[in-house]
Amino acid sequence: MPTSTPIHADPSDLQPADLPRTGPSRTGPSRTGLSRPIAALIVAGVLGASALVGRRNAPDPSHPRTRRWYKRLDKPDFTPPDAVFGAVWPVLETGLAVGGYRLMRAPAEPRRNAAVGLWLLNTAMIGGWTELFFRKRALDTSTVAAGAMVVTGAAYVATAAKVDRPAAGLGVPFVAWLGFATVLAAGIGRRNESRS
């Protein structure tokens, strides 16, 4: 009865197809991204927590003291109306959500892990900035934080581009808005030095 591998064969003559298939492959265990539900839960949890912090500090009618303080600030002429901020942030956060989800679904490897880490850092910094600017009213510190977010946001886009170009592209508007927000925060800080 013929066999695919003769019993007397030298092990060095065996082909990969002749080797037994038990346990992990010789190249190591297969590494895949997170499952759809887990990735979605992480994205929703992280962005949800950031949104809760931002909402707690928002200068809207539910926070009259914060609203009065913000309205009294001397702002540059290029400051958008409040409605623009309300319209822009959901779009930016949706882009971040889709980008983060795509990255978490990508196979785990060092560049993907770095991109996810930068995504987590940037989403956490969104809520942190509102804490500095609106709650602590630290205008100079919030300007520095906004500038730091431009740097970390650009690093996120550059790193994500090596893993998932659509995820990186969805982060570009976020970085552009952060650049504008940094200029705006610096202008507000200069005009209101006595209030910082």
Side-chain angles (χ1 to χ4, degrees):
M1 177 179 207
T3 61
S4 60
T5 306
I7 296 173
H8 62 278
D10 183 342
S12 63
D13 292 335
L14 296 176
Q15 299 299 315
D18 299 325
L19 297 173
R21 296 191 181 273
T22 58
S25 70
R26 289 181 172 243
T27 57
S30 171
R31 295 186 177 211
T32 59
L34 298 176
S35 69
R36 286 185 178 118
I38 297 295
L41 281 172
I42 291 172
V43 168
V46 171
L47 284 173
S50 181
L52 283 174
V53 172
R55 179 83 180 113
R56 180 180 91 154
N57 299 319
D60 61 24
S62 65
H63 303 101
R65 283 184 55 221
T66 301
R67 187 173 177 80
R68 276 195 305 274
W69 172 80
Y70 179 70
K71 291 285 188 191
R72 290 176 182 161
L73 288 174
D74 183 14
K75 299 179 207 60
D77 295 337
F78 59 87
T79 303
D82 292 348
V84 171
F85 290 103
V88 166
W89 272 107
V91 173
L92 297 177
E93 289 178 337
T94 299
L96 284 175
V98 174
Y101 176 83
R102 289 182 64 94
L103 288 170
M104 288 182 205
R105 294 280 296 138
E109 49 94 13
R111 288 182 303 185
R112 176 271 203 171
N113 296 343
V116 168
L118 286 164
W119 180 85
L120 289 167
L121 174 64
N122 280 282
T123 52
M125 289 175 79
I126 295 169
W129 185 87
T130 66
E131 189 78 14
L132 288 172
F133 187 88
F134 292 111
R135 184 165 290 269
K136 297 189 183 297
R137 301 178 183 179
L139 301 181
D140 292 338
T141 306
S142 67
T143 300
V144 171
M149 288 174 71
V150 173
V151 173
T152 60
Y156 160 70
V157 168
T159 306
K162 297 172 185 172
V163 179
D164 185 295
R165 286 189 178 274
L170 289 165
V172 171
F174 172 69
V175 177
W177 180 261
L178 290 176
F180 169 74
T182 301
V183 173
L184 180 58
I188 292 173
R190 278 194 304 273
R191 290 166 174 256
N192 299 274
E193 289 180 3
S194 63
R195 301 185 189 205
S196 187

